[in-house]
Amino acid sequence: MIYFDNNATTIPLPEVVEVMGACLREDYANPSSVHQFGQSVRHKIECAREQVAALLGATPREVIFTSGGTESINLAIRGALQSNPSRRRIVTTPVEHTATLSVMEQLAATGYEVIRVGVDQEGRIDEAEWADAITEDTALVSLLYANNETGVLFDVPKLATIAEAKGAIVHIDAVQAAGKIPIVVEDWPVHLVSISAHKFHGPKGIGALYVKRRTRVSPQIVGGSQERLLRGGTENVAGIVGMGLASKVALRDMDRVANEVRQMRGAFEASLIGSVPFARVVASTSDRLHTTSNIAFGRLQAEAILILLSEASVCASAGSACSSGSLEPSHVLQAMGIDESLAHGAIRFSFSKFNTPGEIDEVVSLLPDLLSRLTKLSGGAAS
Amino acid sequence: MIYLDYNASTPMDPGVRAAMLPYLGEYFGNPTSSHGVGVPLRKAIDTARAQVASLLGVSADEVVFTSGGTESNNHVIKGVAFALADKGKHIITSSIEHPAIKNPCKFLEKLGYEISYVGVDSKGRVDPDEVASEIRPTTILISIMHANNEVGTIQDVPEISSIGREAGVLVHTDAAQSCGKIETRVDKLGVDFLTIAGHKFYGPQGVGALFIKKGVTLDPLHHGAGHQGGIRAGTEPVALIVGLGKAAELAEKDSDHSHVANLRDRLHAGLSEGLGDDVVLLGHRTDRLSNTLCVGFRGRIGGEVMAGCPDVLASTGAACHSGKAQRSATLAAMDIPEEVAFGAVRLSVGRFSTEAEIDEAIGKLVKAAKATPVIG
């Protein structure tokens, strides 16, 4: 099997699996228990918090563990709004992850004014338009760092600075970026950053929210006094420990892995365009996350391509995994104004350090034949 | 180390761990993926859902996986409150609920909801008639815990459910502490919602479930992609869910709790023999979790007793809000006098406890209690 769907989820590191396996056997105490066993488990959580903080360039106190990216995003957006009730405007984009879009829809239904600043064909935001949208009444802006479907990177420092200057709380959805490219929150004028472990070779069911000190956030899950009262519930110790180790490894190997994967992606795109002339790399001129290659195969159906790829034991996806199964073209590509006939045939290939140049060659070499079978089929159907 | 803190968190059953391990590594995909990697994961989730449903005596599509008991409780309290706000803004609960119920209720009070906190007797029992008398036309939910985490007292949930049903009010029970220890079948309890938590019955931390009766709608707690029928957004943590399912399967098989009950009673008898009237049972003598022995060491501070036997791991007050030198909310609601309540220690045994451990613990606890100065 060739796994080119690393933006959906990544292969957990063997060392992460190992440390979690040990944790599940040994560290069963409740970390809130005051006895020595409970406190030894608490210590493991705090070590992991330091590791996650290091990945983000934050201090440990600014890291809150959650059950994953979706919860982090919900906590960030709702929590910040509830703590800042006088302002009623939210500025975001139409290319956010479904989790953000869905929260926004619900907020719009409850009386918030939600402004979605559009993007161009390359997935970029117009700075002037962004600046105009953010008013003194803007409570919050929520912005992706790396788009999960196209990999396009927003210029977070610049866009966040504009928002922060108007007194808005800035939330960055870095679920897709964290562990892959450097994030130094100290250098960013941002207040909240959402991340998820399973996107960078950690376990599922665990994520974190960076909450800059002095940022007021109302908890969404209340109970015990865990996570500095921002998130109640007995900690998922094994998940937290796994996330900590995944963070440590990601930070340690970041530059090397980024270079290797970037080279693989470069080779993939160059040789694919060479052998399939009608293929188009989405947002090719934008600054993109090195893991991601979104390729539009004009006049073909993504679902059909995926079925044939799957038969050849190649995993990729159309749009994001979270919305797969739907026949609607991706909301991201629609927002970019990509022609529908292209958008319907868009496939996201996403890579990781566990992929090899050999796998790239293999997929590139099987695609022309695979696509020509489909072209014949759809050509026949059209005539 | 003698672990007598099963109500705080249970050791994971080796069978649960074995079931989870492949899903931590080998089966790594995103269950939502349409390609081959997603298929076995969706099957594993379906199996786990069926296992939990079987334990609870409900159908699989009535089970929603969450990140744990606290999330399940928040989901019910807020979800019902927001979904039924047009009908009314009154909720009935008890004064001995876990903070995971109490705190969402307090949150709602700030939004203008009214909460009635029904008291308990000295054994920690809620009087169902009192619940009935609190019902108003604007009541939208009754949430009464199945068994108390500190003293183990079991509530008459079937009776409370029938009161709710007659009045047309939804009923929730927090069964986080009872699940796996006593029967928690919904066909017996009659509730509309029920909370369970993996790490309280030999499953993993970080996962729980919420039973939502078919046809009952409540607002989601989190919004996102349409996972779990749109009720709970977020990529499913497959390994955790598989672990919860396995724990449920084991709990259903392990329905004979006499081993645990015998150890608990042996512990109680040993302490009474060693300390006489200086050991006071807190909670109901019979309607109590089979594994839970909450005692007050009369005239002493519970924390000081436990400091005298650091090898014995137990809680003073509940683990989730321990570290405070005052009567726990539960013991205060039961009106336990301070000279007993300050000395409260919750000893909770479980599947892996042994007679030898219990006997050793008795010796150490008695010795420590005798060495602890009596106040006043």
Side-chain angles (χ1 to χ4, degrees):
Chain A
M1 181 188 75
I2 297 178
Y3 188 72
F4 283 175
D5 202 9
N6 287 280
N7 283 15
T9 194
T10 52
I11 301 173
L13 292 168
E15 56 265 51
V16 166
V17 175
E18 197 186 319
V19 77
M20 288 179 72
C23 230
L24 293 176
R25 187 175 50 230
E26 292 152 17
D27 300 322
Y28 55 84
N30 189 320
S32 295
S33 292
V34 294
H35 49 63
Q36 53 189 15
F37 187 17
Q39 291 311 296
S40 76
V41 174
R42 155 83 40 223
H43 180 69
K44 294 199 176 182
I45 292 177
E46 295 317 316
C47 291
R49 199 186 305 279
E50 284 174 21
Q51 291 169 322
V52 175
L55 180 68
L56 300 177
T59 60
R61 277 179 62 80
E62 295 171 313
V63 173
I64 301 298
F65 288 112
T66 68
S67 69
T70 295
E71 185 187 328
S72 292
I73 289 168
N74 274 262
L75 171 58
I77 296 174
R78 287 171 200 286
L81 291 173
Q82 283 165 17
S83 282
N84 196 15
S86 57
R87 297 183 175 206
R88 303 298 293 175
R89 188 180 170 99
I90 305 168
V91 178
T92 183
T93 83
V95 298
E96 299 298 309
H97 185 268
T98 318
T100 303
L101 293 178
S102 168
V103 177
M104 293 301 171
E105 252 174 57
Q106 198 261 341
L107 289 167
T110 57
Y112 275 94
E113 185 187 9
V114 178
I115 308 295
R116 297 172 184 88
V117 176
V119 296
D120 65 15
Q121 287 229 335
E122 291 296 304
R124 290 174 302 222
I125 289 180
D126 182 275
E127 261 173 59
E129 208 181 316
W130 176 256
D132 285 347
I134 300 166
T135 60
E136 302 293 328
D137 185 42
T138 301
L140 174 109
V141 304
S142 188
L143 189 66
L144 271 171
Y145 187 14
N147 187 280
N148 51 308
E149 293 188 27
T150 63
V152 171
L153 296 168
F154 282 144
D155 188 344
V156 166
K158 211 173 254 179
L159 298 171
T161 302
I162 294 168
E164 204 244 0
K166 300 235 177 93
I169 295 171
V170 181
H171 168 239
I172 302 300
D173 170 3
V175 166
Q176 205 56 250
K180 297 169 188 165
I181 49 176
I183 295 176
V184 183
V185 287
E186 284 286 303
D187 299 346
W188 280 358
V190 304
H191 305 91
L192 303 159
V193 178
S194 293
I195 69 171
S196 171
H198 77 97
K199 304 289 192 190
F200 58 94
H201 307 292
K204 293 184 196 67
I206 189 77
L209 179 66
Y210 158 78
V211 181
K212 194 190 197 85
R213 35 181 189 282
R214 288 192 287 279
T215 302
R216 285 184 303 137
V217 174
S218 302
Q220 302 301 298
I221 295 180
V222 288
S225 54
Q226 295 92 348
E227 301 300 308
R228 298 199 298 116
L229 289 168
L230 280 177
R231 204 281 186 180
T234 299
E235 296 88 340
N236 172 4
V237 179
I240 288 171
V241 168
M243 183 176 193
L245 183 56
S247 300
K248 181 183 158 184
V249 173
L251 184 62
R252 185 190 69 201
D253 299 344
M254 191 173 284
D255 292 348
R256 180 178 56 78
V257 169
N259 283 331
E260 286 171 10
V261 174
R262 186 174 288 110
Q263 273 182 22
M264 277 194 280
R265 183 188 63 176
F268 175 77
E269 291 182 352
S271 38
L272 184 60
I273 299 302
S275 58
V276 184
F278 68 94
R280 189 185 137 190
V281 178
V282 174
S284 62
T285 67
S286 288
D287 199 8
R288 282 180 298 148
L289 187 68
H290 55 265
T291 61
T292 312
S293 198
N294 193 312
I295 311 286
F297 298 101
R299 303 181 60 189
L300 293 179
Q301 292 296 321
E303 295 299 324
I305 300 171
L306 287 175
I307 289 169
L308 293 190
L309 281 172
S310 189
E311 282 172 6
S313 288
V314 178
C315 298
S317 64
S320 74
C322 304
S323 50
S324 61
S326 98
L327 290 172
E328 283 278 294
S330 126
H331 70 273
V332 174
L333 302 188
Q334 275 184 320
M336 290 165 71
I338 306 266
D339 190 79
E340 260 202 39
S341 68
L342 275 174
H344 274 294
I347 302 287
R348 179 187 70 185
F349 299 92
S350 48
F351 313 105
S352 84
K353 65 176 179 181
F354 291 121
N355 293 125
T356 63
E359 290 178 331
I360 299 281
D361 293 345
E362 200 179 325
V363 173
V364 170
S365 68
L366 67 83
L367 268 170
D369 177 52
L370 185 153
L371 294 168
S372 73
R373 278 158 63 200
L374 284 176
T375 314
K376 277 179 204 143
L377 282 174
S378 63
S383 64
Chain B
M1 176 182 103
I2 303 168
Y3 191 74
L4 300 181
D5 209 5
Y6 278 72
N7 283 13
S9 208
T10 48
M12 190 175 288
D13 191 283
V16 171
R17 184 170 171 276
M20 288 175 70
L21 286 179
Y23 294 93
L24 286 176
E26 195 183 337
Y27 297 105
F28 66 88
N30 189 318
T32 321
S33 291
S34 56
H35 49 66
V37 167
V39 177
L41 302 177
R42 285 196 291 277
K43 271 191 193 150
I45 293 172
D46 288 345
T47 301
R49 208 183 294 277
Q51 287 165 326
V52 172
S54 173
L55 175 68
L56 300 180
V58 303
S59 65
D61 57 0
E62 295 175 309
V63 173
V64 175
F65 294 113
T66 68
S67 69
T70 298
E71 182 185 325
S72 294
N73 284 343
N74 274 256
H75 192 154
V76 168
I77 300 288
K78 293 188 193 176
V80 170
F82 296 146
L84 298 185
D86 288 345
K87 187 194 166 202
K89 293 189 166 187
H90 178 240
I91 292 172
I92 301 169
T93 185
S94 85
S95 53
I96 61 163
E97 297 296 312
H98 189 274
I101 291 290
K102 211 170 276 182
N103 287 333
C105 285
K106 279 187 193 155
F107 166 80
L108 290 175
E109 280 179 313
K110 279 189 259 172
L111 299 184
Y113 286 77
E114 286 180 274
I115 316 288
S116 296
Y117 298 91
V118 176
V120 295
D121 65 17
S122 64
K123 305 296 176 201
R125 290 270 284 189
V126 167
D127 179 358
D129 288 342
E130 208 180 324
V131 173
S133 71
E134 291 289 346
I135 292 177
R136 312 171 191 171
T138 55
T139 306
I140 50 174
L141 179 69
I142 298 167
S143 179
I144 304 287
M145 72 196 327
H146 190 200
N148 182 267
N149 46 310
E150 292 183 50
V151 297
T153 298
I154 298 164
Q155 306 300 341
D156 191 353
V157 173
E159 177 61 20
I160 293 165
S161 291
S162 71
I163 289 167
R165 199 162 41 244
E166 273 167 38
V169 176
L170 295 169
V171 177
H172 166 247
T173 192
D174 174 3
Q177 204 55 255
S178 58
C179 182
K181 296 173 186 146
I182 53 173
E183 192 176 62
T184 48
R185 287 185 64 88
V186 168
D187 47 10
K188 302 266 172 61
L189 296 174
V191 293
D192 303 289
F193 310 102
L194 181 140
T195 292
I196 65 170
H199 75 104
K200 302 289 192 190
F201 64 106
Y202 312 98
Q205 295 164 338
V207 68
L210 178 62
F211 155 73
I212 303 175
K213 192 180 184 165
K214 211 171 291 175
V216 177
T217 52
L218 73 180
D219 281 13
L221 187 61
H222 294 137
H223 290 77
H227 308 93
Q228 301 202 54
I231 298 168
R232 203 279 183 178
T235 299
E236 294 93 336
V238 186
L240 295 175
I241 288 171
V242 165
L244 184 72
K246 188 69 186 176
E249 185 197 77
L250 294 175
E252 197 176 356
K253 280 186 193 153
D254 181 24
S255 58
D256 176 12
H257 303 113
S258 57
H259 162 72
V260 163
N262 288 341
L263 291 179
R264 178 199 67 175
D265 293 341
R266 186 184 182 91
L267 180 59
H268 189 193
L271 293 176
S272 296
E273 195 185 306
L275 296 163
D277 288 347
D278 276 3
V279 153
V280 181
L281 175 69
L282 301 172
H284 202 279
R285 185 163 292 275
T286 52
D287 290 335
R288 183 165 46 115
L289 289 177
S290 52
N291 79 317
T292 306
L293 175 68
C294 188
V295 292
F297 293 103
R298 191 189 301 276
R300 295 158 177 92
I301 304 288
E304 290 181 9
V305 175
M306 296 316 294
C309 52
D311 289 354
V312 180
L313 305 186
S315 287
T316 56
C320 293
H321 43 89
S322 46
K324 288 180 190 167
Q326 48 180 206
R327 277 195 305 188
S328 74
T330 298
L331 299 184
M334 288 162 64
D335 204 19
I336 304 298
E338 289 192 345
E339 64 146 358
V340 173
F342 284 170
V345 173
R346 179 190 66 189
L347 304 158
S348 46
V349 300
R351 192 178 287 169
F352 306 113
S353 303
T354 63
E355 252 180 37
E357 279 184 326
I358 295 302
D359 291 345
E360 195 184 337
I362 291 167
K364 293 188 173 193
L365 282 162
V366 168
K367 196 176 160 206
K370 283 185 171 162
T372 304
V374 176
I375 317 156

